[in-house]
Amino acid sequence: MLTLRTKICLAAVMILSFWVGGMHSISALRDADTCWLLALGKIIAQTGLPTTEPFSYTYYLMTQTGIAHPFILHQWLAELIFYKIFQLAGLGGLGLLVALLTSLSLVAVPALAHYKEKVSIPMAMLIGTFAQLGCAFRSYARPEIFTYLLFALSLYLIESMTKSARRRACASYCYIAIYAAITATWANLHSSFILAVCLSFLPLIAALANNFFTAAQAKAPEAEKNSSAKTLLPLVLLPVTTILATLVNPAGINLWTYLPYLYFMKVAITEARTLNLDDLHLRGFVPYFVLFPIYIITLIRYLRKFAGQKDASFFLHCLGAILALTLACNKIRLIIYILIIIAYELPLLLTRLSKQAGDQAEVASSTTKQVWFKSPFLVLLAPLTCLIGSFYVTAFVHQSRLPEPSPSFDPPYDAIVYLRDHRPTGPVFNDHRFGDMMIWYLKPPVPVFIDTRIDMYGDQFCLRYAAMCNCQNNWRQDLDEFGINYVFLPPNTPLVQTLAKDPGWSTIFADKTAVILQRR
């Protein structure tokens, strides 16, 4: 029989999972990027991988002058999967996919990883589900959602390899092969595959630290010292094979040369900013601000209590904490990775620190005997409930739109319909997020001035675009240079307000979300 505490945990998991699933069905479509992701996925599905940029007329012009960055499909597999799911289940299917992947990443995989550690699975699921609640602000139908699952699986494999390195060399090589396959898949899904490379060094660093402290304390038997080379060999091979696996993609080594354009842009974007005190009042960050201090405090207690029992697992926890702190001090987009680390580490640390560890082990052992054959179904309870919540909202509560309105973006649905029926001739100067919607909705396609693929256009062009929007520098000359015949921008854009007073321009459409002005 399950205890009352276990029943309460499972009930809380189901309620939270249903709620989070419903949230994901709406929040998954709030990012305009999904428009061009689907459009590229459609091209890949119908004609194969494009070799040139298919949507923008300015990108070609900028490549001729060396301003734009090379066109590399660094997430083609994710784009193809998104389009295939859209074909199969529509926009609601994308919400279901996001709900499933986030639940697997933060709840199912961490809980399964702790199954043999005698950790309370319901407690691990509850912590993971609460962490998943903190992901809603970034759980979009974008390639990152695949990264979340692959990151969680990588943590599990790294932990497993660290434990097996000294016991079974054959198992270590199996983990290396699986990790390489995951990395190769990751390199075709999203540019965050660099995390797989970083994680691959952790077992080696942990083992070297363990050997150093063991030798310093003169505790290692002679036989163990002689076998250290054999133990370290698979740990050295892991990062080597991981790096080689990243080259299994259409761009090859060029994918690595493209990464600086992605990670070191000078143009400021919201998701690349750091957390600050102003974020404390935002509800979406509450789970993070609750769980992160608890994790740090628990980790400090663990390190103090087990400082005299240093082993590879101990050092791996230290490295995990360093990784989490490094991510926490970086960009806001990395919060979800921190939450995955917390969902993975916190239940284990709490269990090991419990004052009643002996009693808990006995209870866990007896419980394991009762639900051993049911444990996979128990772990899958959260993802299944999350899917039900997402399906319920999509089918009975809310009709999905792309993109969904958000506090930072009010999509110009009516303006897109107007352009579809009364399309002006000539080049357009458009808002970057409006460009995403034009790429997906306008048929035949209308070449856009810019869209949200900021990394592709480059800093210099994006700064020029911003100057034109704000009527700065030589903005009139730029309009003439690009041959702009009409503009499609939000009403509060300075360029709109200036051109509306210009006798050489006329307003052909206007509402609260967008204005379209055309040259007379």
Side-chain angles (χ1 to χ4, degrees), residues 227-482:
S227 65
S228 60
K230 293 182 179 179
T231 301
L232 292 178
L233 179 60
L235 302 184
V236 173
L237 287 177
L238 178 61
V240 174
T241 56
T242 299
I243 294 173
L244 292 176
T246 64
L247 304 180
V248 184
N249 67 85
I253 190 65
N254 289 331
L255 182 60
W256 278 91
T257 63
Y258 192 73
L259 292 181
Y261 303 137
L262 286 167
Y263 294 121
F264 302 106
M265 291 188 61
K266 297 178 182 178
V267 176
I269 54 178
T270 302
E271 63 186 25
R273 71 174 179 85
T274 56
L275 276 174
N276 53 61
L277 294 178
D278 294 335
D279 295 318
L280 288 172
H281 73 282
L282 299 177
R283 289 178 295 177
F285 293 115
V286 168
Y288 171 76
F289 285 127
V290 170
L291 287 174
F292 188 69
I294 294 175
Y295 167 65
I296 295 300
I297 293 172
T298 305
L299 180 67
I300 292 174
R301 291 181 58 205
Y302 169 81
L303 296 178
R304 290 181 61 185
K305 185 173 182 179
F306 294 94
Q309 305 175 23
K310 297 184 179 70
D311 56 11
S313 179
F314 175 87
F315 290 111
L316 196 63
H317 285 301
C318 296
L319 293 172
I322 294 172
L323 178 61
L325 289 170
T326 302
L327 296 175
C329 296
N330 212 292
K331 309 300 182 183
I332 197 173
R333 67 171 69 171
L334 301 177
I335 284 179
I336 297 182
Y337 299 107
I338 304 171
L339 289 172
I340 293 173
I341 293 175
I342 292 173
Y344 192 93
E345 289 255 291
L346 186 56
L348 183 60
L349 296 177
L350 288 173
T351 300
R352 291 180 177 178
L353 281 174
S354 176
K355 295 180 180 180
Q356 300 175 339
D359 295 337
Q360 287 189 354
E362 183 179 351
V363 172
S365 177
S366 62
T367 304
T368 301
K369 294 178 182 179
Q370 296 176 22
V371 299
W372 178 275
F373 68 98
K374 296 182 180 179
S375 60
F377 299 99
L378 183 65
V379 169
L380 292 176
L381 179 65
L384 290 175
T385 308
C386 197
L387 283 176
I388 293 172
S390 180
F391 175 79
Y392 174 80
V393 171
T394 301
F396 303 107
V397 178
H398 179 78
Q399 184 176 0
S400 299
R401 294 183 294 178
L402 181 65
E404 292 283 356
S406 68
S408 61
F409 182 49
D410 197 359
Y413 304 114
D414 293 338
I416 290 292
V417 173
Y418 178 87
L419 286 176
R420 186 183 62 196
D421 299 335
H422 309 87
R423 183 179 308 174
T425 58
V428 60
F429 180 78
N430 58 273
D431 175 81
H432 59 294
R433 287 180 291 190
F434 291 4
D436 294 342
M437 297 182 67
M438 295 172 68
I439 288 172
W440 177 240
Y441 284 110
L442 298 185
K443 304 292 185 296
V446 175
V448 300
F449 185 88
I450 194 173
D451 53 81
T452 55
R453 293 172 293 172
I454 305 300
D455 55 277
M456 183 188 75
Y457 290 98
D459 292 321
Q460 187 174 342
F461 180 78
C462 292
L463 292 173
R464 189 177 182 183
Y465 156 74
M468 294 171 68
C469 286
N470 292 291
C471 299
Q472 297 172 347
N473 302 335
N474 301 317
W475 64 274
R476 286 189 181 273
Q477 180 181 337
D478 288 338
L479 288 177
D480 294 336
E481 180 180 338
F482 287 107

Side-chain angles (χ1 to χ4, degrees), residues 166 211 214-215 217-231:
R166 290 185 174 274
N211 290 346
T214 301
Q217 297 173 6
K219 290 184 178 180
E222 190 64 28
E224 185 174 343
K225 292 181 180 179
N226 294 334
S227 65
S228 60
K230 293 182 179 179
T231 301

Side-chain angles (χ1 to χ4, degrees), residues 92-149:
L94 296 177
L96 290 172
L97 176 67
V98 171
L100 175 63
L101 291 181
T102 53
S103 186
L104 289 174
S105 305
L106 287 123
V107 186
V109 172
L112 274 176
H114 294 320
Y115 182 73
K116 295 183 180 180
E117 296 288 342
K118 296 182 179 180
V119 174
S120 169
I121 300 301
M123 177 192 69
M125 292 172 62
L126 181 59
I127 292 174
T129 306
F130 188 60
Q132 186 189 4
L133 183 62
C135 296
F137 79 102
R138 278 286 302 166
S139 296
Y140 304 134
R142 288 173 51 169
E144 291 96 309
I145 61 169
F146 298 104
T147 286
Y148 304 151
L149 178 58

Side-chain angles (χ1 to χ4, degrees), residues 153-165 169 171-184 193-207 230-246 256 316 319:
L153 290 172
S154 298
L155 289 176
Y156 173 69
L157 289 173
I158 292 299
E159 174 76 14
S160 300
M161 186 167 181
T162 301
K163 294 176 180 177
S164 67
S172 296
Y173 292 113
C174 290
Y175 286 130
I176 291 174
I178 296 172
Y179 198 87
I182 287 177
T183 303
F193 69 87
I194 189 69
L195 287 171
V197 177
C198 296
L199 290 174
S200 68
F201 285 93
L202 296 187
L204 177 60
I205 297 173
K230 293 182 179 179
T231 301
L232 292 178
L233 179 60
L235 302 184
V236 173
L237 287 177
L238 178 61
V240 174
T241 56
T242 299
I243 294 173
L244 292 176
T246 64
W256 278 91
L316 196 63
L319 293 172

